[in-house]
Amino acid sequence: MILLGTLVNTCTILAGSLAGSIIRKGIREEHRSALYNAMGLAATGLGINAVVQNLPNSHYPVLFIASLAIGGLVGTMLDINGRFQKLVNRYSNGNLGEGLATAILLFCIGTLSILGPIQSAVQGDNTFLFTNAMLDLVTSAVLASTYGIGIALAAGVLFLWQGSIYLAASILQGFLTEELMTEISITGGFLIAASGISILGIKDCKTLNMLPALIIPVLWFLLKKLAGF
């Protein structure tokens, strides 16, 4: 079935968000603060792990620096974070915007969430996506227990994200190389770590403003292919 893995992944996030929001009602403020710290540390650790795993395989060790710099500048000029926060705060109270930003990064920028749709499209294998679904089930439950049912909105973003990768992989199988996936995973790892740092209150990195950084490796490889080098 087309997009079976993505559909399963989307449903697990919805289920986890519902379960977490139910649990949230009985959680005290000090316990909620502990969950904030746990999610901040987890996000930071996952981001660092993605960087450490992929950086040794990079053929362009400074590409991630250029990606973060250029992407962050473009995102700041567009004020992605500010626009997102205004949109979320219009329909919710508290810091749901921060939670959603973290959820979207954790659900969408992980290696499994990127390589999974590609493997599904090219080989018809949903193993990565099913594994990712189980991880997201737990993550969404913890996030929703901290930020509320609004975390379920990230499920829609994930569906569009993985669906887009699936379609792109089906059409451009030759372009989505392992090298490109490595560079995207490195940049994404830094973004996830930045999100964790923001949750911990160390520094507000405004991670959403840095999201355009993920496009820079794609543009670089496209330019390299067109130039023939």
Side-chain angles (χ1 to χ4, degrees), residues 10-31:
T10 301
C11 289
T12 56
I13 292 176
L14 292 173
S17 298
L18 178 60
S21 65
I22 294 174
I23 297 174
R24 182 173 188 256
K25 298 177 180 179
I27 295 181
R28 296 179 179 178
E29 185 60 36
E30 59 266 29
H31 297 160

Side-chain angles (χ1 to χ4, degrees), residues 22-158:
I22 294 174
I23 297 174
R24 182 173 188 256
K25 298 177 180 179
I27 295 181
R28 296 179 179 178
E29 185 60 36
E30 59 266 29
H31 297 160
R32 192 169 297 150
S33 177
L35 287 174
Y36 273 115
N37 292 335
M39 287 312 306
L41 289 171
T44 304
L46 287 171
I48 293 174
N49 181 64
V51 173
V52 171
Q53 280 190 334
N54 290 281
L55 195 55
N57 301 320
S58 174
H59 294 282
Y60 309 97
V62 297
L63 181 57
F64 77 90
I65 300 176
S67 298
L68 292 172
I70 297 173
L73 180 60
V74 171
T76 300
M77 292 173 64
L78 295 175
D79 193 22
I80 297 175
N81 182 75
R83 295 173 188 273
F84 180 79
Q85 296 295 343
K86 288 179 182 178
L87 178 63
V88 171
N89 292 335
R90 184 180 302 174
Y91 301 102
S92 66
N93 297 317
N95 50 2
L96 176 59
E98 179 184 76
L100 269 177
T102 302
I104 290 170
L105 287 169
L106 287 175
F107 296 154
C108 298
I109 311 304
T111 302
L112 290 174
S113 192
I114 294 173
L115 297 182
I118 296 175
Q119 185 184 55
S120 178
V122 176
Q123 302 176 2
D125 186 353
N126 289 305
T127 302
F128 281 0
L129 287 176
F130 289 155
T131 302
N132 196 58
M134 293 301 101
L135 294 173
D136 288 350
L137 175 66
V138 177
T139 304
S140 59
V142 174
L143 282 169
S145 68
T146 305
Y147 296 102
I149 189 62
I151 293 298
L153 294 174
V157 178
L158 174 117

Side-chain angles (χ1 to χ4, degrees), residues 170-184:
S170 300
I171 299 172
L172 304 171
Q173 294 186 21
F175 179 69
L176 296 174
T177 62
E178 185 176 343
E179 284 186 349
L180 174 56
M181 292 301 104
T182 296
E183 301 304 329
I184 292 177

Side-chain angles (χ1 to χ4, degrees), residues 6 155-165:
T6 294
V157 178
L158 174 117
F159 181 81
L160 294 175
W161 169 256
Q162 290 188 358
S164 298
I165 294 177

Side-chain angles (χ1 to χ4, degrees), residues 195-219:
S195 179
I197 291 172
S198 296
I199 294 175
L200 291 171
I202 298 174
K203 179 177 177 58
D204 184 4
C205 298
K206 292 183 170 47
T207 314
L208 284 178
N209 281 346
M210 302 172 70
L211 281 180
L214 294 170
I215 303 175
I216 305 303
V218 178
L219 296 177

